[in-house]
DNA sequence: TTGTACGCGTTATCAT
DNA sequence: ATGATAACGCGTACAA
């Protein structure tokens, strides 16, 4: 047991490094802080000794005195969803490169979050928080934040969170869904679609509400009938069943616009494998997100793309800008969408 | 600006709560520590004041003195993979319930990890670390850990990491892949498969190596020919191409055993949509993992299941046991696999 | 460029 | 059950 304890690298403190290198403890601190002034040769010696002693500055102690945790909180309702897992992946990679670690919290399935959990998160003092969960309003979230300014994704109609107290500070990623939706509708119209169904996402989801609203608006502008709206929740199974119901109980449709790609997959499978209909000949299908699975041959989905790389860059920019200017007015980054044409419309 | 600053909930310290509640700072600390002794009435008053002042104990300060960060590090090569995102999701949920937050780190695609990143992680002083990345050996990882004892997933042949210094302490989750693989082979054999191909995962992956080894062993035991081995990397696209090559350049096969479900999807799509072959009539396909997509109608995949819930429970058990007994001998939890029969063999 | 002294917010120790 | 005091490991103002 002792044998193992010996082998285990003991944590060295700055004091030990200082003693070993014959310098003051402050010098050690400076050696690890690039902008501090220190004779280069001395710094090198210190870093050398630090390596030998297996020393790493303690983030907790550092955080205590600097007020910066180097932690970015992410509140996620469902890590498994392909879109979110992609985003978490890319964001974590990007933040890692900037010296931040990702602190992951899971919200409940209905997009709400236990106040106890928020309180808990607060204790970690994250430098920034990204809420993938859309029904914790900024005011509420800010009540659980100290220095962190949260980032919210908003959509074409900028008035979202209008109910929020005006004094609440949060930064915004504006996603212009209109572009992509308009292109999709034009394509569907061009291929003769007349009776369209909208296969919704989670009712509480703002993204979903805005997609539905924008779709209706676009159809109206182009002189088309309002869509049949099917309740959904972004899952394959619900989409599958809703599609069956649409054709068995309802009057069917000649095009389905799904709130997300996974829902579109459910619709396609229901059409092809249970209703005996062809896609795109009998029914055209469009998705939203352009997740990697969208190009899989079984689906080959025509879909509205949100550019992930661009999105992540924008989020990282927001975080860095805010940390540099904690009291600045709200920042906004904008993101476009566009249609990716594959094989489910035509 | 001041207006906003006022609205922003200022962080209260234990001292402020103590003053407001007319108690000592120590009492406040005790009020938040359930096993500390404190007159209930007094505790209630303190908690009440704390709520009014929006006070939350600072984890960094707490961690500094207790030596426990309440952070669990997860080193992941690819958050997007359906299996891993599922596992991260479930694990985060379970750990949250136990009072731990998830600290996510992304390893490189080749399953290796930058020493700088490991050093960085070390600074956060995680209470435990789960390495989904299989080619950082325990010795190496432990060199970057202080109190945390890492958890490794090992497979049927327990001799893995034999090269690791024997003194290194790490806990093990033993996954018995043999059961599921044996059932799959029996089913394939029963349906007349004779020439089998193994569609591999990442070459560096231990899970993959062991799946291949166990498959070969099982085929030999049952008097069947050794499988044709196709190089893969767990992705759809590579699996798709490898399957095309197998039938166009190679001699084909009457059954494909894929190292993971996503690879099986790629194989199925190549067979059906490009080679004009039927699954399961012409070629039978088996996957591994049983991710949610496996039951989608387009695939309806017969696959070897690893029970996620059970797996997560085992991991959480390992973490808690180790924290309770930091110096105990290595712990091992065991997990079985079993075949889920759907429509791609028959 | 370097070192001294202090403080960050909390819990552990040891009194009472 | 409660309170005073000393840590925990680090960064930073200030003086040299």
């Amino acid at each position: 047991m002792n044998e193992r304890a010996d082998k285990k690298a003991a944590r060295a403190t700055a004091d030990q490094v200082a003693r070993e290198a014959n310098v003051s403890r402050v010098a050690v601190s400076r050696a690890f802080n690039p902008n501090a002034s220190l004779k280069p040769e001395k710094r090198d010696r210190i870093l050398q000794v630090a390596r030998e002693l297996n020393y790493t500055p303690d983030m907790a102690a550092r955080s205590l005195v600097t007020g910066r945790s180097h932690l970015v909180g992410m509140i996620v309702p469902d890590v498994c969803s392909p879109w979110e897992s992609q985003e978490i992946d890319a964001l974590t990679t990007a933040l890692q490169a900037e010296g931040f670690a990702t602190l992951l919290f899971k919200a409940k399935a209905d997009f709400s979050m236990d106040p106890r959990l928020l309180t808990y998160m607060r204790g970690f003092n994250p430098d920034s928080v990204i809420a993938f969960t859309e029904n914790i309003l900024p005011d509420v979230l800010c009540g659980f934040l100290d220095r962190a300014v949260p980032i919210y994704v908003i959509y074409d109609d900028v008035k979202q969170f209008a109910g929020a107290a005006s004094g609440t500070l949060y930064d915004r990623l504006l996603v212009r869904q209109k572009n992509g939706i308009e292109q999709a509708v034009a394509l569907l119209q061009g291929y003769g679609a007349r009776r369209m169904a909208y296969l919704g996402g989670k009712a509480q989801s703002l993204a979903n509400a805005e997609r539905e609203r924008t779709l209706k608006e676009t159809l109206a502008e182009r002189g088309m009938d309002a869509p049949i709206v099917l309740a959904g929740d972004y899952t394959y199974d619900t989409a599958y069943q809703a599609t069956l119901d649409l054709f068995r109980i309802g009057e069917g449709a000649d095009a389905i616009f799904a709130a997300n790609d996974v829902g579109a997959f459910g619709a396609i499978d229901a059409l092809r494998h249970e209703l005996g209909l062809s896609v795109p000949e009998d029914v055209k299908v469009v998705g939203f997100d352009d997740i990697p699975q969208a190009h899989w041959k079984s689906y080959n989905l025509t879909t509205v793309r949100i550019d992930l790389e661009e999105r992540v860059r924008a989020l990282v920019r927001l975080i860095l800008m805010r940390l540099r200017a904690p009291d600045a007015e709200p920042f906004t980054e904008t993101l476009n969408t566009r249609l990716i044409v594959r094989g489910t419309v035509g």
Side-chain angles (χ1 to χ4, degrees), chain A:
Chain A
M1 196 145 77
N2 261 335
E3 189 186 339
R4 204 154 49 215
D6 289 345
K7 283 192 179 170
K8 205 148 176 50
R11 174 67 155 272
T13 72
D15 288 280
Q16 293 169 25
V17 175
R19 215 171 307 133
E20 189 77 13
N22 277 323
V23 297
S24 73
R25 198 185 50 68
V26 187
V28 177
S29 171
R30 288 203 242 267
F32 280 88
N33 213 313
N35 14 351
S37 58
L38 193 66
K39 200 163 21 175
E41 158 206 323
K42 194 172 202 168
R43 161 169 286 140
D44 289 345
R45 197 175 75 238
I46 294 177
L47 292 178
Q48 173 61 29
V49 173
R51 220 169 304 126
E52 284 164 13
L53 264 53
N54 216 343
Y55 166 78
T56 311
D58 184 314
M59 285 306 203
R62 174 180 282 181
S63 151
L64 205 56
V65 52
T66 60
R68 282 174 160 239
S69 60
H70 291 263
L71 255 24
V72 173
M74 296 192 196
I75 304 176
V76 186
D78 180 14
V79 183
C80 308
S81 113
W83 171 261
E84 283 188 13
S85 66
Q86 257 196 107
E87 187 160 9
I88 294 169
D89 188 286
L91 210 43
T92 298
T93 306
L95 288 173
Q96 223 163 251
E98 300 287 343
F100 295 94
T102 297
L103 200 55
L104 202 60
F105 293 94
K106 252 212 82 179
K108 291 193 290 187
D110 65 348
F111 283 26
S112 79
M113 208 176 166
D114 194 339
R116 278 181 40 224
L117 187 57
L118 284 170
T119 300
Y120 188 64
M121 179 181 80
R122 170 181 219 200
F124 288 100
N125 220 344
D127 286 342
S128 183
V129 170
I130 300 177
F132 291 99
T133 298
E134 292 163 318
N135 63 352
I136 305 177
L137 287 180
D139 325 24
V140 179
L141 186 51
C142 282
F144 291 92
L145 262 28
D146 305 298
R147 317 161 0 261
V149 173
I151 299 174
Y152 277 81
V153 180
I154 59 176
Y155 302 92
D156 310 66
D157 177 8
V158 187
K159 306 237 173 191
Q160 281 127 47
F161 308 125
S166 53
T168 307
L169 177 62
Y170 61 96
D171 295 319
R172 296 147 170 87
L173 177 62
L174 171 60
V175 179
R176 291 205 188 287
Q177 304 191 131
K178 179 82 180 180
N179 308 38
I181 291 176
E182 176 133 19
Q183 293 166 11
V185 170
L187 188 76
L188 289 168
Q189 195 175 23
Y191 277 111
R194 291 298 170 261
R195 283 196 316 153
M196 204 173 298
Y198 175 71
L199 178 46
K202 269 215 173 68
Q204 305 92 336
S205 152
L206 255 171
N208 174 57
E210 277 304 303
R211 273 163 211 179
E212 181 177 330
R213 197 192 57 72
T214 306
L215 176 64
K216 283 177 174 163
E217 177 186 286
T218 307
L219 290 174
E221 285 165 7
R222 307 189 127 255
M224 297 177 71
D225 292 343
I228 304 156
V229 176
L230 310 178
D233 58 3
Y234 291 132
T235 69
Y236 175 94
D237 289 330
T238 303
Y240 189 92
Q241 190 57 49
T243 305
L244 292 185
D245 291 348
L246 172 64
F247 283 80
R248 288 187 175 156
I249 302 170
E251 328 156 14
D254 55 16
I256 296 178
F257 198 130
N260 66 333
D261 288 348
V262 172
F265 298 159
I268 291 172
D269 281 350
L271 292 166
R272 286 182 178 155
H273 299 289
E274 191 139 352
L275 294 166
L277 294 167
S278 298
V279 178
E281 293 78 3
D282 300 322
V283 184
K284 299 158 203 346
V285 178
V286 175
F288 212 111
D289 286 344
D290 195 26
I291 58 177
Q293 289 89 327
H295 85 267
W296 289 6
K297 291 279 174 174
S298 284
Y299 300 112
N300 196 27
L301 183 69
T302 295
T303 186
V304 177
R305 163 180 237 160
I306 303 173
D307 192 297
L308 181 71
E309 303 292 326
E310 220 181 298
R311 177 162 172 150
V312 165
R313 274 196 299 273
L315 288 173
V316 172
R317 253 190 324 260
L318 285 175
I319 292 173
L320 296 180
M321 285 165 74
R322 177 54 63 192
L323 285 175
R324 229 168 275 139
D327 295 317
E329 295 299 302
F331 294 120
T332 301
E333 291 273 346
T334 303
L335 205 61
N336 270 305
T337 56
R338 71 175 203 277
L339 186 68
I340 302 294
V341 180
R342 296 204 182 87
T344 53
V345 176

